[in-house]
Amino acid sequence: MALTDFISELRKALSAETCVLSDPSNEDFRLALLRWSDVDVKIPGAIVQVSNESDAVKTVKLASVHRTPFVPVCGGHSLWSTIGTDGFILDLTKYKSIHVDAAQHEVTVAGGVLMKEFATALANAGECAPVGNGNTIGVIPYFLGGGIGVATGLMGIACDNMRSAKVVLASGQLVIADEKHHSELFWAIKGAGYYFGLILEITLRTYPLSVFGTPEGQHWIGNYLYPMERAAEVFKVVESLVATSGSRTAGLVMLIAPPPHHKPVIAVVPHYFGNLEDGPRVFQELSKLGPVIYSEKSPHVPNLSDHLDFACGKGGLRRFNLTGLQEFRIENCLQLTNVFQQLLESCPDATTSGYFVEWHCLPPPDLVTNSAFSHETVHIWLHCLSWCQEETSLPKVFEFEARAIDAMRQGTKPENYIDLPHGTRTHPIERRFPDQDILTKLRALKKEFDPQGMFTRELL
């Protein structure tokens, strides 16, 4: 069936509240097409903005019958949330709901809820949950891909907090997956959910705000800025902080070139989850280095990522990559600083790029883990934000990204390389799912639930 015929039939099946856009010259179409990155954006044959669960199910079912390809969109951060004129985008941004049950310490999230909306609704009820580093990230995709962040050491990997999910399978059937129903599918969704269906709703475990160390859910965050010449000294102190993985700390070491001068500097942003007055003492060795700029703050949970809003808007020639690290090596970090400085020299329009090393304390030992996510014990991650202004610079900027990753992997055997599941689809899948038993099980489940690859050909 031609896409135009499919869209015509779909319009007849859906409610009046759901919008089907098929004219690329239309302003609503253009706005709906905007996403976080402009890299490799394609123009779809249509954008279906579902307004409710029933319409989402009908859309997948009809697409299944007619073998019409589509990609789902929630927050619009994925580089794979794009498709050409032979398919359509299933847009969940106008279908969203949040229901918090503080008494049961759980929350149910549906559709295109974003991280800021999620954290705010929970905080208003005195609760919190693992959140991603960005206000505009889609909540459901974040949990499906594992979900790591500065709070991982407090509440564990995000997907391990899932209690149930509503899933539209490739057949168009809507099922509930949890520990008692479709338990194997539920296991796979936690860490590899993108590949098994359209997840419309998830129910999650929540925690009282006090898990952050204060009754209101605040915690201490510092900001220490140093010139690149102090790199070896800074990394020596950070090495000791990362080594104390049992403490209630987390943080980032950031190589950035902030305005107005765009001169490369090192920013260390540590987090302490405890008495707010103890934060400066815990990180006193950073103060002893004499940072050129120092500040501190104690934000409430919904405001944790406000400082990243400059990088969270839609549009821009950029991509984001997450690479797991086995350990923090000073010599590798020094090489990373060289790569970053060379990037800025080679691509002056890439000053909005940045390389960040994030660490977090290990999750509580009593936290139950039972998911397809394979990196629970990894507590150090390299974030590569590759961002330039001219399209002609992209190949060079991406080349430096690869060099940055190579620098931080020095001393690691290739068979031990680690990729976050939703961070790449180009490198060997064994880096995303290194446990052979997990990978074998995922492949078998893919053949059972999506043998034709409606939800990507990954795992087939």
Side-chain angles (χ1 to χ4, degrees), residues 242-450:
V242 174
T244 56
S245 58
S247 64
R248 290 175 59 85
T249 66
L252 294 99
V253 184
M254 309 173 70
L255 304 181
I256 54 176
H261 304 296
H262 300 292
K263 181 180 179 180
V265 295
I266 304 171
V268 184
V269 184
H271 297 242
Y272 177 68
F273 307 103
N275 190 312
L276 299 179
E277 297 178 356
D278 291 338
R281 176 187 57 78
V282 172
F283 300 108
Q284 60 183 322
E285 295 303 315
L286 289 171
S287 296
K288 290 179 181 179
L289 292 178
V292 294
I293 294 177
Y294 168 76
S295 63
E296 59 182 81
K297 59 182 179 180
S298 304
H300 292 277
V301 177
N303 306 119
L304 285 182
S305 295
D306 287 357
H307 65 290
L308 297 174
D309 282 350
F310 78 96
C312 289
K314 293 186 182 296
L317 297 171
R318 53 191 176 179
R319 75 179 181 191
F320 191 72
N321 191 292
L322 273 155
T323 302
L325 305 174
Q326 292 187 321
E327 58 183 302
F328 187 93
R329 296 190 176 106
I330 293 177
E331 59 273 22
N332 291 4
C333 292
L334 290 172
Q335 183 59 34
L336 185 68
T337 63
N338 291 334
V339 172
F340 184 64
Q341 290 174 308
Q342 291 166 14
L343 163 67
L344 299 182
E345 292 169 1
S346 300
C347 304
D349 66 319
T351 55
T352 42
S353 295
Y355 301 148
F356 323 133
V357 179
E358 177 180 273
W359 83 90
H360 57 76
C361 52
L362 293 175
D366 59 343
L367 185 68
V368 177
T369 59
N370 181 29
S371 72
F373 189 76
S374 302
H375 309 303
E376 283 92 348
T377 60
V378 179
H379 69 112
I380 310 170
W381 293 86
L382 170 66
H383 302 232
C384 289
L385 173 60
S386 298
W387 188 355
C388 59
Q389 307 306 313
E390 302 294 333
E391 193 164 3
T392 54
S393 298
L394 279 175
K396 180 65 71 173
V397 172
F398 291 163
E399 176 189 326
F400 275 100
E401 176 188 296
R403 289 174 57 185
I405 294 171
D406 287 343
M408 293 302 287
R409 281 174 167 166
Q410 287 295 314
T412 301
K413 295 179 180 180
E415 59 267 28
N416 294 326
Y417 287 174
I418 301 165
D419 288 332
L420 197 69
H422 64 278
T424 178
R425 291 184 187 173
T426 56
H427 298 134
I429 198 168
E430 287 79 9
R431 296 183 188 177
R432 286 171 270 166
F433 305 101
D435 187 301
Q436 190 57 48
D437 291 338
I438 287 178
L439 187 55
T440 298
K441 185 176 178 180
L442 284 172
R443 284 176 166 147
L445 290 168
K446 179 71 171 180
K447 290 179 180 178
E448 177 183 352
F449 289 102
D450 186 21

Side-chain angles (χ1 to χ4, degrees), residues 35-114:
R35 64 173 190 165
W36 180 74
S37 174
D38 290 331
V39 176
D40 296 331
V41 172
K42 302 178 180 69
I43 305 299
I47 301 174
V48 182
Q49 296 180 312
V50 295
S51 59
N52 54 66
E53 178 185 288
S54 176
D55 282 353
V57 174
K58 289 176 183 177
T59 301
V60 175
K61 186 172 293 186
L62 198 60
S64 176
V65 170
H66 296 294
R67 302 288 181 89
T68 304
F70 70 91
V71 292
V73 168
C74 184
H77 284 72
S78 170
L79 291 180
W80 302 281
S81 59
T82 188
I83 197 167
T85 54
D86 61 327
F88 68 95
I89 289 175
L90 202 168
D91 186 347
L92 298 170
T93 58
K94 295 188 182 303
Y95 161 49
K96 57 177 68 177
S97 68
I98 308 172
H99 176 70
V100 183
D101 187 340
Q104 296 298 319
H105 293 298
E106 71 177 28
V107 59
T108 299
V109 181
V113 174
L114 303 182

